[in-house]
């Protein structure tokens, strides 16, 4: 039997060799429908070139030509799905990908294409399953491995991410990026011990570095960061001393050494480092804060919030802990010496105001504000505003400011006795003293006194723009938003070329619930010939969109409010998607500490102030719609009265198209614009007034999504828990109401 089979096999092979090529291709196609003839195979390669070259329409025509003859060819269907995905035809793309899988369930191309479709729709779990299935049929496909690797780090699936990075390293152990990828994977997963061991193994496998290099220096500092996070400060200090010669950024090296020695309790050494850094840059507030802590022998972290970004030595917004009299006296002596060493440094004079008291504070305050009044620096009050949390210092500031005003009125001189006998101040000094007092009383909510000083300053010099801007701010603080907008507009008219004035006027108009005028105002500085609303959406101007959404909410236009909030939500989705570009870029460039900070930022993306404000706006609007659901306007009902159902639908559709054209500019003809730039055609908005968003069936369910995110992102925000109480009470989830009330008590 075996010899008979061998003889038959030989005769079949001879017959195949004698067969004409065309007949052979037909037979191969019949035996395996996934094998294309030479002509279609070349067409398939052409389609791939078009896809890689982003010529999607040409690529679609090529794959369609193949599918006319071979409609069940799986790889062609997979490429078609990718092309349709790039053309935003998602439904057709899903159909093509699934048809390809039905034709050949072992086709890694189709499974990969389906994973790409799910990734585009942000369905990361399904995309991950598809990529894993594709790898079962082609284990060593680098493209699929890269996509899966990127997806795992986006999902923070660090266990799978480590496995994928290890596969890359096993395939190409000589490539530096593969070692770096595995090191960062272990570190992000919190496995610092293995990450450190991997770094040491990599260092043993390469030639010793003789000269400083940026990438190698970053790796050494990254290793030091891992040792620091393991809690062994002595080992971290020793490691940092060893790598000093190979680190290019010496300032960063000193900052890290100052932080490590401070954490280790070596206060004298840390103090010396921070003094050296102040010598390099005396205007860096974090250096001064660190010097105060180390000179006062205050342990690292006491009185300061937990630092989430390891590269930032100290938080410049954090307040100092309580200092006793001896510590204050020591610091005063230190800063008197620094003032002699750095006489031109403003921060050396400003920092002592944060810890001094009584007569010493008044003396230093007077010496600090007099040069500002002489030079006419409007930001003086903004600089001192942080001191207004201390009642004693507020009283001292008022006393010193009134003394300056009295002295200027009496003899046109300032109280500081450093001038030549009989020399008088410039008349502008009086102007800025009045301006400071107006800001001071406005801060104390004594608006009558603030207006009094401001009117006197305006009578003194009516052409100073800052005075008109502050007048608008006082109106805002008194609740008169309409007058505030008018006042800021009058300030804007004094300098039409100032973009800041234009932007602030727009914000004041939105707060006064004048969105149409605000759009016209902001349009003065947007790109010429474009709709300002569309342009600002492209620029991700979250503040403008938030103010506009809140204006629509106050006026009861809930559909438009939701439309603005949805635009902001899309910005944060885009920011999250943009993260994918940095995972590969940072590792290639060797910026490992910056990469770690980027991942930390993305993990806390939904705690950003703009997102929190946007999510609260969503919840309030949905709750308002639950109280009073959106209904068709009476004018629309009367307009379509007497029409048949078909005529009514046509009329409503026509009106929506006309409204969309009003909000979106008419598509321009293809070609170049007035300045030779390519004109982009605008697509009409199918829902210009947000009616579809305002008429969803279950508004409370939508609000619950944002409340859940807010409770995870900002658990200490009292307002979030108050909104949660209202929402859960409406849904009759009383146990959740009780939990939210308890969270309120803890947060407050």
């Amino acid at each position: 039997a075996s010899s008979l089979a061998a003889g038959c096999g030989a005769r079949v092979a001879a017959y195949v060799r004698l067969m004409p090529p065309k007949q052979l291709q037909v037979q191969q196609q019949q035996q395996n429908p996934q094998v294309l003839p030479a002509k279609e195979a070349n067409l398939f390669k052409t389609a791939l070139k078009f896809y890689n070259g982003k010529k999607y329409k040409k690529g679609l025509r090529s794959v369609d030509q193949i599918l006319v003859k071979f409609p069940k060819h799986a790889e062609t269907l997979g490429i078609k799905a990718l092309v349709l995905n790039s053309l935003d035809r998602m439904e057709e793309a899903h159909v093509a990908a699934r048809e390809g899988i039905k034709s050949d369930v072992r086709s890694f191309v189709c499974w990969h294409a389906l994973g790409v479709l799910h990734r585009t729709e942000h369905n990361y779990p399904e995309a991950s399953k598809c990529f894993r299935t594709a790898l079962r049929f082609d284990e060593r496909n680098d493209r699929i491995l890269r996509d899966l690797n990127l997806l795992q780090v986006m999902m923070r699936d660090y266990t799978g991410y480590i496995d994928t990075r290890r596969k890359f390293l096993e395939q190409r152990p000589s490539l530096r990026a593969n070692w770096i990828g595995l090191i960062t994977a272990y570190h992000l997963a919190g496995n610092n011990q293995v990450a450190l061991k991997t770094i040491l193994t990599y260092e043993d496998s390469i030639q010793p570095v003789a000269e400083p290099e940026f990438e190698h220096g970053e790796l050494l500092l990254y290793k030091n960061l891992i040792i620091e996070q393991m809690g062994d400060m002595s080992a971290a200090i020793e490691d940092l001393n060893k790598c000093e010669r190979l680190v290019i950024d010496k300032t960063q090296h000193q900052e890290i050494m100052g932080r490590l020695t401070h954490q280790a309790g070596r206060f004298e050494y840390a103090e010396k480092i921070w003094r050296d850094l102040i010598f390099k840059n005396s205007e860096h507030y974090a250096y001064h804060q660190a010097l105060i802590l180390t000179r006062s022998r205050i342990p690292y972290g006491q009185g300061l919030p937990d630092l989430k970004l390891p590269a930032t030595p100290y938080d410049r917004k954090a307040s100092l802990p309580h200092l006793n009299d001896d510590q204050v006296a020591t610091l005063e002596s230190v800063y008197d010496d620094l003032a002699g060493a750095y006489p031109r440094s403003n921060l050396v004079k400003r920092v002592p105001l944060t810890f001094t008291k009584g007569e010493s504070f008044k003396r230093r305050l007077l010496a600090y504000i007099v040069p500002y009044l002489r030079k006419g620096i409007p930001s003086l009050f903004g600089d001192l505003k942080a001191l207004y949390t201390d009642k004693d210092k507020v009283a001292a500031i008022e006393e010193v400011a009134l003394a300056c005003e009295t002295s200027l009125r009496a003899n046109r001189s300032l109280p500081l006795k450093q001038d030549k006998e009989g020399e008088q101040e410039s008349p502008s000094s009086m102007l800025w003293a009045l301006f400071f007092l107006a800001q001071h009383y406005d801060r104390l909510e004594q608006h009558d006194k603030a207006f009094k000083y401001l009117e006197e300053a305006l009578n003194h010099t009516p052409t100073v723009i800052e005075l008109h801007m502050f007048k608008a701010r006082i109106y805002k603080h008194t609740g008169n938003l309409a007058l505030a907008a008018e006042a800021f507009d009058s300030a804007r008219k004094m300098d039409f070329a100032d973009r800041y004035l234009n932007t602030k006027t727009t914000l004041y108009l939105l707060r006064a619930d004048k969105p149409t005028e605000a759009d016209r105002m902001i349009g003065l500085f947007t790109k010429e010939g474009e709709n300002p609303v569309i342009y600002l959406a492209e620029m991700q101007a979250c503040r403008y969109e938030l103010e506009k959404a809140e204006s629509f909410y106050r006026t009861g236009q809930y559909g438009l409010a939701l439309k603005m909030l949805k635009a902001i939500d899309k910005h944060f989705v885009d920011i999250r998607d943009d993260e994918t570009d940095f995972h590969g870029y940072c590792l290639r460039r060797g910026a490992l500490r910056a990469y770690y900070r980027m991942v930390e930022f993305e993990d806390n993306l939904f705690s950003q102030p703009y997102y929190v404000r946007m999510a609260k706006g969503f919840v309030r609007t949905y709750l308002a719609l639950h109280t009073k659901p959106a209904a068709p306007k009476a004018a629309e009902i009367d307009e379509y009265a007497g029409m048949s159902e078909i005529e009514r639908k046509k009329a409503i559709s026509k009106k929506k198209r006309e409204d969309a054209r009003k909000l979106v500019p008419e598509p321009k003809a293809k070609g170049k614009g007035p300045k030779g730039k390519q004109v982009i055609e605008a697509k009409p908005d199918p829902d210009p007034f947000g009616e579809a968003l305002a008429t969803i069936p279950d508004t409370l369910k939508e609000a619950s999504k944002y409340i859940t995110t807010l409770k995870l992102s900002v658990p200490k925000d009292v307002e979030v828990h108050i909104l949660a109480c209202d929402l859960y009470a409406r849904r009759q989830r009383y146990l959740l109401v009780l939990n939210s009330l308890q969270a309120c008590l803890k947060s407050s």
Side-chain angles (χ1 to χ4, degrees):
S2 59
S3 61
L4 180 62
C8 290
R11 287 195 295 273
V12 170
Y15 172 73
V16 169
R17 284 195 297 271
L18 294 173
M19 188 181 298
K22 188 172 182 180
Q23 189 177 352
L24 177 61
Q25 290 175 1
V26 172
Q27 183 171 344
Q28 289 175 346
Q29 178 66 28
Q30 290 173 351
Q31 292 174 354
N32 185 1
Q34 301 307 321
V35 177
L36 290 176
K39 180 181 177 182
E40 282 71 19
N42 290 332
L43 199 57
F44 182 81
K45 293 178 182 178
T46 305
L48 275 178
K49 287 181 182 178
F50 284 139
Y51 174 72
N52 292 328
K54 298 184 179 181
K55 299 177 181 178
Y56 302 121
K57 291 184 179 180
K58 291 183 178 180
L60 184 59
R61 284 197 294 270
S62 298
V63 295
D64 283 339
Q65 289 177 27
I66 300 172
L67 292 173
V68 168
K69 294 183 179 179
F70 306 100
K72 299 296 184 181
H73 189 254
E75 292 188 1
T76 305
L77 287 167
I79 297 300
K80 182 178 181 179
L82 293 174
V83 172
L84 290 170
N85 173 52
S86 302
L87 294 171
D88 292 330
R89 293 159 62 176
M90 296 303 298
E91 292 183 8
E92 299 175 57
H94 273 285
V95 171
R98 295 188 184 280
E99 284 293 328
I101 292 172
K102 287 180 184 178
S103 300
D104 184 7
V105 75
R106 300 178 63 83
S107 172
F108 69 90
V109 175
C110 293
W111 283 108
H112 186 205
L114 186 59
V116 171
L117 298 182
H118 285 307
R119 186 182 65 189
T120 304
E121 296 173 335
H122 305 107
N123 190 353
Y124 295 140
E126 286 299 320
S128 179
K129 290 179 185 177
C130 293
F131 290 150
R132 289 180 184 278
T133 306
L135 284 172
R136 284 171 51 196
F137 306 122
D138 191 1
E139 295 180 358
R140 303 182 69 84
N141 190 307
D142 287 348
R143 181 68 176 271
I144 303 174
L145 269 175
R146 279 197 300 270
D147 285 345
L148 177 62
N149 161 66
L150 185 59
L151 202 62
Q152 287 166 334
V153 72
M154 288 287 291
M155 296 169 60
R156 304 300 188 259
D157 175 17
Y158 291 127
T159 304
Y161 184 51
I162 290 171
D163 292 339
T164 309
R165 296 305 321 186
R166 192 184 292 115
K167 288 180 183 178
F168 275 117
L169 184 60
E170 289 170 356
Q171 290 179 10
R172 299 182 67 183
S174 61
L175 196 62
R176 181 180 186 273
N178 291 339
W179 283 96
I180 298 300
L182 185 59
I183 291 165
T184 55
Y186 281 124
H187 183 214
L188 292 174
N191 199 340
N192 294 333
Q193 193 74 38
V194 181
L196 180 60
K197 184 178 179 181
T198 308
I199 293 177
L200 296 174
T201 304
Y202 171 67
E203 289 180 338
D204 292 340
S205 67
I206 61 174
Q207 294 292 332
V209 179
E211 297 296 327
E213 296 176 0
F214 172 77
E215 291 185 1
H216 189 68
E218 276 292 311
L219 178 61
L220 294 175
L221 292 179
Y222 187 65
K223 179 178 73 172
N224 186 263
L225 171 63
I226 293 173
I227 298 173
E228 178 188 352
Q229 290 182 349
M230 291 169 66
D232 191 347
M233 296 304 151
S234 299
I237 293 170
E238 183 182 354
D239 176 76
L240 197 62
N241 282 323
K242 287 180 182 177
C243 69
E244 180 178 4
R245 182 180 61 84
L246 298 175
V247 174
I248 293 177
D249 191 347
K250 301 300 182 184
T251 301
Q252 182 80 132
H253 184 276
Q254 278 186 287
E255 290 176 0
I256 297 171
M257 182 62 78
R259 185 177 73 244
L260 293 175
T261 51
H262 189 181
Q263 291 182 77
R266 297 165 61 176
F267 293 109
E268 293 182 2
Y269 189 36
E271 180 187 347
K272 180 180 181 300
I273 292 171
W274 294 118
R275 282 179 178 270
D276 292 342
L277 287 168
I278 289 174
F279 175 76
K280 290 182 178 180
N281 182 4
S282 62
E283 301 296 332
H284 197 307
Y285 180 75
Y287 295 167
H288 289 275
Q289 187 185 39
L291 176 62
I292 291 171
L293 294 174
T294 51
R295 188 68 183 87
S296 303
R297 303 300 186 259
I298 297 173
Y300 182 85
Q302 183 175 327
L304 297 173
D306 294 334
L307 300 175
K308 294 183 178 179
L309 302 182
T312 304
Y314 297 88
D315 184 358
R316 61 177 63 235
K317 292 184 179 180
S319 58
L320 292 171
H322 177 72
L323 302 173
N324 58 40
D325 293 339
D326 293 337
Q327 290 171 327
V328 170
T330 302
L331 290 174
E332 284 194 70
S333 174
V334 168
Y335 272 88
D336 287 339
D337 295 340
L338 290 175
Y342 312 105
R344 298 175 64 86
S345 172
N346 288 324
L347 205 53
V348 167
K349 302 182 184 74
R350 170 64 180 82
V351 169
L353 299 179
T354 60
F355 56 78
T356 52
K357 309 171 190 174
E359 293 301 320
S360 175
F361 174 79
K362 292 180 186 177
R363 175 174 55 82
R364 292 176 183 276
L365 177 66
L366 181 62
Y368 185 71
I369 69 172
V370 163
Y372 276 75
L373 296 177
R374 281 179 178 154
K375 296 176 182 178
I377 301 175
S379 61
L380 172 61
F381 179 79
D383 188 11
L384 299 177
K385 191 163 56 175
L387 303 174
Y388 276 66
T389 55
D390 187 328
K391 292 182 179 179
D392 294 334
K393 290 185 178 181
V394 172
I397 290 171
E398 183 171 344
E399 181 183 337
V400 170
L402 288 173
C404 290
E405 179 207 7
T406 303
S407 179
L408 286 168
R409 289 186 190 279
N411 50 22
R412 264 183 63 184
S413 65
L414 287 165
L416 198 61
K417 300 298 182 182
Q418 291 182 353
D419 310 318
K420 295 179 181 178
E421 192 68 28
E423 185 176 348
Q424 293 184 330
E425 299 291 338
S426 167
S428 65
S429 298
M430 185 65 186
L431 166 70
W432 297 112
L434 294 171
F435 183 44
F436 180 84
L437 282 166
Q439 292 173 297
H440 168 78
Y441 286 117
D442 176 65
R443 178 73 176 184
L444 300 180
E445 297 184 357
Q446 300 178 25
H447 301 301
D448 292 337
K449 285 187 177 181
F451 266 121
K452 174 188 171 185
Y453 280 103
L454 181 62
E455 289 299 329
E456 186 177 353
L458 284 168
N459 292 331
H460 185 285
T461 312
T463 56
V464 176
I465 296 176
E466 285 79 7
L467 300 179
H468 295 272
M469 291 165 57
F470 185 65
K471 187 175 184 179
R473 193 168 291 118
I474 296 178
Y475 280 132
K476 182 187 74 172
H477 294 162
T478 57
N480 197 335
L481 299 177
L483 279 178
E486 291 180 12
F488 223 107
D489 191 40
S490 66
R492 180 191 67 85
K493 291 176 181 176
M494 299 177 72
D495 187 358
F496 287 107
D498 194 321
R499 187 186 292 267
Y500 172 78
L501 292 175
N502 176 271
T503 304
K504 291 293 288 185
T505 304
T506 302
L507 294 178
Y508 272 70
L509 287 169
L510 289 173
R511 289 168 185 163
D513 298 331
K514 298 178 180 178
T516 305
E517 295 180 31
D519 290 345
R520 179 184 57 81
M521 189 66 62
I522 200 68
L524 298 175
F525 275 87
T526 56
K527 190 178 292 186
E528 186 179 354
E530 288 197 14
N531 188 322
V533 179
I534 298 174
Y535 179 77
L536 291 170
E538 292 175 354
M539 296 294 105
Q540 297 184 344
C542 290
R543 188 177 184 186
Y544 165 81
E545 290 169 332
L546 273 171
E547 294 285 353
K548 197 170 184 180
E550 291 171 358
S551 174
F552 285 137
Y553 172 78
R554 289 191 295 268
T555 55
Q557 302 178 66
Y558 300 131
L560 289 171
L562 289 172
K563 194 170 181 62
M564 288 289 106
L565 293 171
K566 278 290 182 184
I568 303 165
D569 198 7
K570 184 179 181 301
H571 297 336
F572 279 90
V573 172
D574 292 341
I575 291 170
R576 190 60 186 270
D577 288 345
D578 290 342
E579 177 190 336
T580 58
D581 298 331
F582 290 93
H583 287 294
Y585 175 79
C586 291
L587 297 182
R588 286 196 307 272
R589 300 293 296 175
L592 303 180
R593 292 175 302 140
Y595 173 68
Y596 182 72
R597 292 197 299 271
M598 185 273 294
V599 174
E600 290 279 319
F601 169 80
E602 291 287 348
D603 287 343
N604 296 283
L605 181 63
F606 296 144
S607 63
Q608 296 298 314
Y610 280 147
Y611 184 88
V612 172
R613 192 171 160 190
M614 177 270 295
K616 290 178 182 177
F618 265 119
V619 176
R620 291 193 199 96
T621 308
Y622 282 132
L623 292 177
L625 283 170
H626 180 261
T627 303
K628 185 180 179 182
K633 298 178 182 178
E636 290 181 356
I637 296 172
D638 295 336
E639 183 180 351
Y640 306 128
M643 293 185 180
S644 66
E645 187 66 23
I646 296 175
E647 291 174 342
R648 184 175 176 276
K649 286 182 179 179
K650 287 183 179 179
I652 292 174
S653 178
K654 182 179 179 182
K655 186 174 185 303
K656 285 185 177 180
R657 287 197 300 270
E658 290 174 354
D659 292 337
R661 290 193 193 100
K662 291 177 184 177
L663 293 182
V664 180
E666 289 291 331
K668 299 178 182 179
K670 292 183 179 179
K672 294 188 177 180
K675 295 184 179 180
K677 295 182 179 179
Q678 190 71 27
V679 173
I680 300 173
E681 296 186 3
K683 296 180 180 179
D685 190 344
D687 186 25
F689 297 104
E691 295 172 357
L693 296 171
T695 54
I696 57 175
D698 192 351
T699 56
L700 296 183
K701 183 179 179 181
E702 291 295 319
S704 297
K705 297 177 183 177
Y706 290 99
I707 278 292
T708 302
T709 304
L710 286 173
K711 289 174 73 174
L712 292 172
S713 304
V714 282
K716 296 183 180 180
D717 192 323
V718 176
E719 188 179 2
V720 170
H721 298 297
I722 293 173
L723 288 171
C725 288
D726 190 359
L727 172 64
Y728 295 139
R730 291 170 189 251
R731 300 189 69 182
Q732 299 182 359
R733 306 287 294 276
Y734 299 116
L735 184 58
L736 292 176
V737 173
L738 181 60
N739 290 339
S740 298
L741 287 171
Q742 290 175 336
C744 267
L745 291 173
K746 290 180 181 178
S747 301
S748 60

